[in-house]
Amino acid sequence: MNLPPGPAAAAALSWLVAASATALLAAGARRRSGAQRQALVLVAVAAGVALVTLLAGLGAALDSAPHWAHEQERRTGWATLVSTGVTASGLVFLAGLLRLPGVVASAAAAVRLVLDGLIMAAAIWFVGWVLVAEPTRLLGDATPMACLPILLATVATALTLGLAPIAVCRAAAPRGGLAVLATGITAVTCGGLVSAGGLCQAGPAVVMIGAGVLAAGLLAAALAVLRVGPPRPVEPALIDRDPDYTILAVVAMTVAGMCHLLEGGRFTALSLLASAVEGFALVARQYLTLRDMRGYAGRLAEREAHFRELAHTDALTGLANRRGLMRALHRCVESGTACVLLGLDLDGFKNVNDMRGHDVGDAVLAEVGRRLRATLRPEDVAARLGGDEFAVLMPGSPAEADRMAERLLGVLGQAYDQVDGPVFLSVSIGVAGCGGVPEVELLLRHADLALRYAKQRGKNRIERYDAAYDQLLRRRTTLEHELRGAIERDELRLAFQPVASLPSVRPVGAEALLRWHHPELGNVRPDEFIPLAEECGMIAKLGAWVLNQACHQLSRWLAEGHDVWVSVNVSPRELHAPEYVVLVTEALRAHHVPPQRLVLEVTEHAVATDLDELIRRLVALRQTGVRIALDDFGAGYSSLGQLRRLPIDILKIDHSLVAEHEPVRPVDRDGPAFAPMVDIVMRLGHQLGLEVIAEGVTTPTELAAVVAAGCRFGQGAAFGWGVPAEHLEAMLEAATSPGARPAGTSPGTPSTGPGVRPTAAGLRPTALPVPRRQQPGSGQLSPGAEGASRGDAPIPVNQHVGSVDSSREMRQA
């Protein structure tokens, strides 16, 4: 039959559209790079194959149209060529679709996707076969005959219909371009199926329709390629869930097969093959799912073990954390293994964070972890409990633990090299054995108590747990709690230890000493509650109370006509507080006390801290008019260079210099033995314009020695203990009453005058230096040597308030 001009023009238009689309696909592939270019090259190759197939189908239809009925065999050959080309094109199209970035994450995901596509394709093919086969014959007389080209094209079409939508659904968003590309691929294979069916049976008009659908599919694919954006990452799923649509496919095949049998139909080899493909794909998919499940379970177990280990590991040092240590302790206790727990704490680590920064602090902690791992045995467990606190669990005997603790004391005490200079730290260690300890928490508490005891006893040491630590801790906790309300409950008192003028032994001043009497605990020693007040931050409050009480008592004595001064102790923490100068000024003004009558004592320990800052604070205090004394001079902190720089008025010689075992007797002359160190300090103080007070004078021998050395003021048990204010007031009244004889002397006892003192061997007599004077108009007393010879008038000397020197207090107690 003759082909009308219209179909010919349609054929030409279809080919022109298909050719243009193929050219666009090729150009789009050239503009891309990487994996996207490789995928689009496959799409362009598939389009080229489809274009050649379209050209062959159109040519066969145009050539066979005049004698269509007599060219059945020839048309079948052309139909086979078209269906083969369409099948090849569809497969290459699908390969390019799967290769596009963002569609599948891995080769395994691609295999699972292909199996899902086979499941859907087999179901589509089987249902389609049931609809067109006997007895349903949904298309009636238009049902295509059973020929190989149509069968091959239907397989390709079913595969495309099954796989392309699934690929789009599983791709990473956005999916608009991929959806258009999948639609184009499906249209190409459907158009090829229609063209093959037209060549086999339906006629040239059907071939033209198929060609138009194929060309439209190529155009859609080209437009989709233009819309495909840059590669999109797709996250691999930990486990792929079985798609729900596989159930729909099986249900559809089952329903179609049952309907086919009920209608009297029969299953052919092709239908059975489709069922076999469906079953094989389902089994393979379930096998892959089971393998994924096993792999996922394994990875989950690994991750669980990893996270469990992380939960028991310190992230900074790599050691065990508190939870890891508890796990090891429970295992050790449950197994009955003898073990020892060491608690470690870095001394002074807070200063590293404050002065050098937390980065340096973290680096030091990490180095501590490395040193612990390098030093300990493989069976030992090292843990970081938090901050700078560590612990070591050691299976073994206490003797082995002691040796290891000694090693750790040396290893962890070595310098920690850092970029901006080494860091020097020490470590305190508490040791507790698990023998006889039924509970893990109790063992931890024992080690912690031993560690705290080591810190309290001076740090950089090892202490083994003792049951007495429990009582000490309970008492310490009780004291801290009760101390916070001691002022409000009126439990604190001041005791005053007299400072005597020598050699008359007249009381001319007093040092205010803090005392605490608790209604239940009784008298609490200063060396017990003063350090506790320092640690818990109560020292500033106690110091302010002592300062005001001392000024109040001093104002009463002055109002009663007693020529006396009072000294109070200042702790380093109070001294470095900016508000302390204001506190002193307000106390003097509130109690109407002349500033020169108040002496603030600073210990040598304060000098060992920040000297420049200390000098600024002392200058500010001296500007208020008070006098400054350096307490415990000779205890080992101050140097002569520091002594020259310090703005002080008085040196208080430490008891260790006064209580010399062998006083020195003068050479080539008669006279009492004197303390040589006191003599040296006296000379040094007078050369610097300072007054000197000898502390801790206890025995008559010591008194005679300091008097012989020329010291004009003394303090200690030889002149009286710390007494209440009314007792000291009685001493002052007795000393100033008519006819009073200096205490501690007898009528026949020779006295050494303050103007000239006996010389040591080889030394000439020298006059006492005049103390450092204040500026005119300050109103502060400034007696010289002549002042001491006129009735031993009280020379303003100082002592400090606030914190009390606990070591001296213990000696005086």
Side-chain angles (χ1 to χ4, degrees):
M1 69 180 161
N2 295 324
L3 190 67
L13 180 60
S14 298
W15 186 87
L16 181 60
V17 171
S20 300
T22 303
L24 288 175
L25 287 171
R30 291 185 60 185
R31 289 195 300 267
R32 307 305 170 91
S33 61
Q36 194 176 41
R37 181 176 185 177
Q38 297 174 4
L40 294 181
V41 165
L42 290 176
V43 173
V45 169
V49 174
L51 179 62
V52 173
T53 301
L54 175 63
L55 182 60
L58 291 175
L62 293 174
D63 183 63
S64 302
H67 35 80
W68 185 266
H70 306 287
E71 297 289 341
Q72 181 64 43
E73 183 177 353
R74 185 180 179 186
R75 286 186 289 107
T76 301
W78 283 108
T80 302
L81 177 62
V82 170
S83 61
T84 302
V86 169
T87 301
S89 174
L91 293 176
V92 177
F93 263 128
L94 292 175
L97 179 64
L98 296 180
R99 290 292 299 273
L100 280 174
V103 176
V104 291
S106 62
V111 172
R112 290 190 291 268
L113 183 60
V114 169
L115 288 175
D116 292 340
L118 280 176
I119 295 172
M120 296 303 297
I124 291 171
W125 191 93
F126 183 83
V127 172
W129 175 83
V130 168
L131 292 177
V132 301
E134 293 286 350
T136 305
R137 290 182 62 85
L138 183 63
L139 298 180
D141 294 338
T143 301
M145 60 183 180
C147 65
L148 180 61
I150 294 178
L151 177 63
L152 190 59
T154 55
V155 171
T157 303
L159 185 60
T160 305
L161 288 171
L163 184 58
I166 297 175
V168 174
C169 292
R170 295 191 185 178
R175 306 182 183 91
L178 289 177
V180 175
L181 179 59
T183 302
I185 294 172
T186 304
V188 168
T189 55
C190 290
L193 173 61
V194 173
S195 296
L199 286 175
C200 281
Q201 178 180 350
V206 177
V207 175
M208 296 306 156
I209 295 173
V213 175
L214 190 149
L218 290 178
L219 182 60
L223 295 176
V225 168
L226 295 178
R227 291 185 57 186
V228 172
R232 303 177 303 279
V234 56
E235 296 293 334
L238 294 177
I239 180 171
D240 285 338
R241 294 177 298 175
D242 283 335
D244 298 334
Y245 47 77
T246 56
I247 303 298
L248 297 178
V250 174
V251 171
M253 289 186 67
T254 303
V255 171
M258 293 299 296
C259 292
H260 187 67
L261 290 175
L262 292 176
E263 291 292 334
R266 300 177 61 187
F267 291 106
T268 64
L270 291 178
S271 62
L272 294 177
L273 179 61
S275 301
V277 170
E278 180 79 6
F280 169 78
L282 283 172
V283 172
R285 188 65 178 84
Q286 293 304 316
Y287 169 75
L288 292 179
T289 302
L290 180 60
R291 191 181 68 172
D292 290 344
M293 288 292 293
R294 290 174 178 172
Y296 176 69
R299 292 193 300 271
L300 187 62
E302 292 176 359
R303 293 189 180 189
E304 182 182 0
H306 174 67
F307 286 123
R308 186 184 297 111
E309 192 62 29
L310 285 181
H312 294 82
T313 304
D314 177 64
L316 178 61
T317 61
L319 304 176
N321 57 15
R322 183 178 293 273
R323 188 179 291 106
L325 178 65
M326 294 294 291
R327 179 177 63 178
L329 279 171
H330 281 291
R331 291 175 180 174
C332 186
V333 172
E334 291 172 359
S335 63
T337 305
C339 59
V340 181
L341 182 63
L342 279 63
L344 298 87
D345 189 87
L346 300 178
D347 303 325
F349 180 76
K350 183 178 182 300
N351 296 329
V352 177
N353 280 336
D354 295 342
M355 305 301 296
R356 305 284 289 272
H358 288 275
D359 292 340
V360 175
D362 289 346
V364 171
L365 293 176
E367 177 61 24
V368 170
R370 286 190 288 270
R371 294 185 184 183
L372 286 176
R373 284 192 295 270
T375 307
L376 298 175
R377 304 170 301 181
E379 62 270 21
D380 300 334
V381 177
R384 180 189 175 211
L385 304 183
D388 60 339
E389 188 176 355
F390 295 82
V392 175
L393 180 63
M394 297 182 55
S397 64
E400 294 175 335
D402 291 340
R403 289 192 294 268
M404 181 58 71
E406 292 289 347
R407 288 188 60 190
L408 292 177
L409 203 66
V411 169
L412 299 181
Q414 297 176 3
Y416 297 84
D417 294 329
Q418 299 298 320
V419 176
D420 52 349
V423 174
F424 296 93
L425 295 172
S426 61
V427 62
S428 300
I429 302 178
V431 182
C434 68
V437 180
E439 298 180 1
V440 169
E441 290 76 10
L442 192 59
L443 178 61
L444 279 172
R445 184 172 179 270
H446 289 177
D448 185 62
L449 286 176
L451 175 59
R452 292 182 63 179
Y453 192 62
K455 302 280 281 189
Q456 293 175 13
R457 294 195 62 188
K459 305 178 182 180
N460 193 28
R461 60 186 297 121
I462 302 169
E463 289 292 338
R464 179 171 289 280
Y465 170 77
D466 190 279
Y469 295 169
D470 287 327
Q471 298 178 358
L472 294 176
L473 179 61
R474 283 194 294 269
R475 179 173 175 82
R476 181 182 180 85
T477 304
T478 302
L479 288 178
E480 180 179 349
H481 180 269
E482 296 298 321
L483 183 60
R484 296 186 182 277
I487 295 178
E488 290 75 9
R489 295 190 301 268
D490 196 25
E491 296 173 358
L492 299 181
R493 295 289 184 272
L494 287 185
F496 296 89
Q497 186 175 32
V499 177
S501 175
L502 303 179
S504 63
V505 199
R506 285 182 53 215
V508 293
E511 177 180 359
L513 304 175
L514 183 60
R515 296 292 183 259
W516 180 19
H517 178 77
H518 191 273
E520 296 180 0
L521 301 175
N523 291 322
V524 184
R525 298 179 313 188
D527 66 310
E528 190 175 14
F529 71 84
I530 293 296
L532 183 60
E534 289 274 4
E535 292 183 13
C536 68
M538 282 285 296
I539 193 63
K541 183 178 179 180
L542 292 181
W545 185 87
V546 171
L547 176 63
N548 280 279
Q549 292 295 317
C551 289
H552 173 71
Q553 185 60 52
L554 178 58
S555 67
R556 291 184 57 183
W557 286 335
L558 294 177
E560 293 173 1
H562 297 293
D563 191 5
V564 69
W565 48 265
V566 170
S567 66
V568 292
N569 296 292
V570 183
S571 72
R573 180 173 297 182
E574 289 180 279
L575 189 61
H576 289 280
E579 63 274 8
Y580 188 70
V581 176
V582 178
L583 181 66
V584 172
T585 304
E586 292 179 351
L588 294 173
R589 182 173 60 251
H591 299 285
H592 307 288
V593 173
Q596 68 271 15
R597 297 289 182 169
L598 179 64
V599 179
L600 302 181
E601 291 191 14
V602 181
T603 62
E604 279 194 314
H605 178 70
V607 179
T609 56
D610 188 346
L611 182 60
D612 294 333
E613 177 66 18
L614 175 66
I615 291 175
R616 287 193 292 268
R617 298 296 181 188
L618 294 181
V619 168
L621 285 172
R622 291 189 76 210
Q623 289 175 352
T624 65
V626 301
R627 304 192 74 182
I628 308 297
L630 181 61
D631 196 11
D632 296 337
F633 180 76
Y637 288 108
S638 298
S639 66
L640 295 181
Q642 292 175 337
L643 190 60
R644 295 188 62 181
R645 293 182 59 192
L646 288 174
I648 60 175
D649 303 285
I650 303 158
L651 284 180
K652 299 192 72 174
I653 306 175
D654 187 70
H655 173 73
S656 61
L657 302 183
V658 174
E660 293 181 297
H661 297 291
E662 295 294 336
V664 176
R665 293 188 175 276
V667 179
D668 298 332
R669 61 173 301 214
D670 296 332
F674 65 96
M677 293 304 298
V678 177
D679 181 78
I680 294 172
V681 175
M682 284 291 305
R683 290 175 179 270
L684 174 64
H686 290 168
Q687 287 295 328
L688 296 177
L690 305 176
E691 189 55 83
V692 181
I693 300 177
E695 285 189 292
V697 180
T698 305
T699 64
T701 302
E702 294 174 355
L703 174 60
V706 296
V707 169
C711 188
R712 294 186 293 190
F713 297 96
Q715 180 180 352
F719 315 110
W721 298 99
V723 295
E726 55 271 19
H727 292 185
L728 183 62
E729 185 175 351
M731 295 172 62
L732 293 173
E733 292 176 353
T736 56
S737 62
R741 185 176 69 239
T745 62
S746 61
T749 303
S751 62
T752 303
V756 178
R757 64 173 181 269
T759 60
L763 296 179
R764 293 176 299 175
T766 59
L768 285 174
V770 178
R772 187 179 304 179
R773 296 178 181 269
Q774 298 292 321
Q775 296 296 330
S778 66
Q780 185 167 340
L781 299 179
S782 55
E786 66 278 5
S789 63
R790 290 196 303 268
D792 295 321
I795 296 179
V797 199
N798 75 351
Q799 279 234 337
H800 74 275
V801 79
S803 76
V804 180
D805 183 0
S806 59
S807 61
R808 186 175 68 254
E809 290 250 308
M810 282 191 294
R811 293 196 301 269
Q812 295 170 352

